[in-house]
Amino acid sequence: MSETDEVPVAEAALEARLADVSADAAALRVLLPAELQSLISDAVVRSHKLYEEFVDRLVLRVARETGLEAATREPASAAEVVVRLGLEPRRALVPIDWILRRLTARRTVEEVGAGRRFRSRGVRALPDAAPVREEQQRHDSSWLPSYTLAETVAQDYPAFLRGEIAGEEVLFAPRRLRLWVDYFSNANGQYAVSNHVGAIGVARWLPRAGGVILEVGGGLGSGAVAVLERLEAAGRIGDVRGYRFTELVPAFLRRGQQALEGRFRRPAWLRCDALDMNRPFGEQGVRPGDLAVVYAVNALHVAHDLAFTLGEVHRALAPGGELIVSECVRPHSGQTIYAEFIFNLMETFRAPRLHPVYRPMGGFLTAVEWRAAIEAAGFADVRFVPDIVRVQERVPDYFAAVIGATRPG
Ligand SMILES: C[S@@+](CC[C@H](N)C(=O)[O-])C[C@H]1O[C@@H](n2cnc3c(N)ncnc32)[C@H](O)[C@@H]1O
């Protein structure tokens, strides 16, 4: 097979992406509520497009290193590719399927026939990811922690797919803690968007009478800091009778606690505990009907059994209490979101318990799936800020939203 040149194709792909920045930013100025407009500026839209391209170039590199092009010279399903390449099927199937869909969207691979089989569109010279990173550095260096994380993961991807190293080891080995400190941070321009979108939801929907907020999967505390700072700025910090910051991973919990105690000077209303959202909340010190808000930033989608966790949240909330979650909302079933390149390494992310209606696959959920899952757990008044379905009709790669729902009284 002759080698066609991907480099001009890649330059054209980047140019086409950047050409969409002004049109998408203009559409978002109309579609987003005022509070979100300053957050999702033209500069953020440009960074988002650059990161899309950067991740694609890393995906192309991983595809080359694992021999994916040769394995799709003849049409193959993801499962057949896994077998042809001798990859470890339990972990490789979801990421390989994701990579094939991602490369199909980029037209490096094409889908043929009806049975989700993929064929390479020719071997191409690899585009270099470094110039995209350099452009990001010039444009807004605050996004670089996301670049470093994706690049680090890409290096270990082939070994992970072959079964030589666990994804959790790639992501969470102690030597990688620094990556997460830099990534889950309000100084990371990319991650800050999720934290601030979530904070806008809490400021809008914290019940008038206030009460106790419990955060699930609070990580390193940047989401909590964003919420509490927004409530402070809105003059509502006094309505927070307690903030229960919870997290599963002890090293994250310790850092999160330090961040919050440092920022708010050991407030009496702060409590930091371990909490596993896959286990009954009651046996972890959460009393039924006690909470005004259960909050989470990009955490609920890793619940092993979403119905179970939503049931626990429902039980923990007081009548009239609010579930508030900031999430990357998948625009259409099967569409890829760049963060999945990283998080597909985690078994809890890629392989939760499935449900035919609202959990047909692992990873992020669509708006329709979120609504169905939350309503099935007994919540009412499920709402999204921004109006995500409307926004995604016009800007199909927009995905940051906060979802609210009420436990009926
Ligand atoms: C996207 S991160 C949240 C980051 C956080 N917003 C911050 O500012 O650092 C999701 C978090 O969910 C946690 N998590 C994963 N599985 C969990 C479980 N079963 N129960 C509770 N938390 C869990 C992860 O350790 C991670 O910290």
Side-chain angles (χ1 to χ4, degrees):
M1 191 172 294
S2 67
E3 185 162 291
T4 54
D5 196 354
E6 163 77 13
V7 178
V9 177
E11 293 321 319
L14 178 58
E15 268 173 39
R17 275 194 166 133
L18 295 180
D20 285 343
V21 170
S22 332
D24 285 3
L28 291 173
R29 276 195 290 278
V30 175
L31 290 164
L32 297 182
E35 305 137 280
L36 282 182
Q37 290 198 8
S38 54
L39 196 58
I40 306 191
S41 61
D42 293 30
V44 167
V45 176
R46 184 177 174 85
S47 293
H48 168 72
K49 303 281 184 191
L50 285 168
Y51 195 62
E52 289 265 11
E53 180 64 20
F54 182 74
V55 169
D56 274 5
R57 293 185 183 195
L58 296 180
V59 172
L60 285 162
R61 196 169 87 203
V62 170
R64 173 64 51 86
E65 287 169 3
T66 45
L68 200 103
E69 284 145 344
T72 51
R73 235 166 252 164
E74 297 303 325
S77 65
E80 286 163 342
V81 169
V82 166
V83 172
R84 281 179 197 176
L85 294 175
L87 303 177
E88 206 277 306
R90 227 171 56 83
R91 68 179 61 171
L93 186 58
V94 168
I96 287 290
D97 181 60
W98 186 92
I99 288 171
L100 287 166
R101 284 184 283 121
R102 188 90 192 165
L103 295 182
T104 303
R106 199 186 168 87
R107 299 174 51 75
T108 305
V109 162
E110 61 191 353
E111 210 172 329
V112 287
R116 297 222 15 204
R117 308 185 92 222
F118 301 87
R119 179 168 55 203
S120 164
R121 299 184 79 227
V123 181
R124 294 173 175 177
L126 268 188
D128 188 0
V132 185
R133 186 190 173 110
E134 284 157 17
E135 177 52 28
Q136 181 69 63
Q137 174 132 35
R138 282 189 291 274
H139 170 60
D140 176 0
S141 61
S142 77
W143 277 55
L144 291 179
S146 298
Y147 283 68
T148 305
L149 180 61
E151 241 168 4
T152 306
V153 164
Q155 280 162 14
D156 287 341
Y157 233 95
F160 157 72
L161 293 171
R162 289 194 294 266
E164 293 160 10
I165 181 167
E168 289 71 13
E169 171 73 14
V170 173
L171 294 175
F172 301 120
R175 67 184 187 288
R176 299 266 153 97
L177 182 61
R178 185 75 237 165
L179 287 177
W180 297 107
V181 172
D182 294 342
Y183 181 79
F184 290 138
S185 161
N186 292 317
N188 173 0
Q190 185 194 39
Y191 201 75
V193 170
S194 292
N195 286 338
H196 291 307
V197 168
I200 286 168
V202 177
R204 275 194 184 202
W205 301 323
L206 173 65
R208 276 277 130 231
V212 177
I213 302 175
L214 181 144
E215 182 176 353
V216 174
L220 296 151
S222 65
V225 168
V227 161
L228 292 164
E229 285 183 344
R230 184 162 277 264
L231 291 174
E232 214 171 33
R236 293 203 65 196
I237 196 78
D239 294 338
V240 180
R241 285 205 291 281
Y243 197 94
R244 289 190 66 177
F245 175 79
T246 75
E247 165 56 41
L248 178 67
V249 175
F252 285 5
L253 178 62
R254 270 195 306 278
R255 287 244 175 189
Q257 177 164 4
Q258 281 164 8
L260 286 163
E261 287 178 348
R263 170 63 184 77
F264 297 97
R265 303 199 186 139
R266 292 180 172 267
W269 42 259
L270 178 67
R271 183 172 155 189
C272 302
D273 295 308
L275 184 121
D276 180 350
M277 70 175 119
N278 297 326
R279 286 178 40 223
F281 287 17
E283 66 185 42
Q284 300 177 82
V286 181
R287 283 199 304 270
D290 214 24
L291 304 171
V293 171
V294 172
Y295 180 58
V297 179
N298 282 325
L300 272 205
H301 60 253
V302 294
H304 173 64
D305 179 346
L306 190 55
F308 170 83
T309 299
L310 286 171
E312 292 304 298
V313 170
H314 189 274
R315 191 164 308 119
L317 284 169
E322 296 284 329
L323 165 68
I324 304 176
V325 292
S326 173
E327 278 285 339
C328 294
V329 178
R330 192 190 297 287
H332 301 285
S333 192
Q335 185 167 335
T336 58
I337 290 186
Y338 47 48
E340 290 171 317
F341 176 64
I342 296 163
F343 293 106
N344 270 340
L345 270 74
M346 279 167 64
E347 190 173 352
T348 48
F349 182 85
R350 66 174 183 269
R353 173 169 290 175
L354 300 182
H355 183 281
V357 175
Y358 53 76
R359 205 74 176 99
M361 62 194 294
F364 298 114
L365 286 80
T366 65
V368 170
E369 289 159 5
W370 272 118
R371 179 179 293 283
I374 293 171
E375 285 177 351
F379 288 91
D381 188 22
V382 181
R383 63 207 100 96
F384 295 78
V385 171
D387 179 346
I388 191 75
V389 173
R390 201 159 149 248
V391 173
Q392 289 176 336
E393 275 167 11
R394 170 61 193 82
V395 184
D397 60 350
Y398 178 92
F399 48 70
V402 59
I403 311 170
T406 309
R407 176 183 167 174

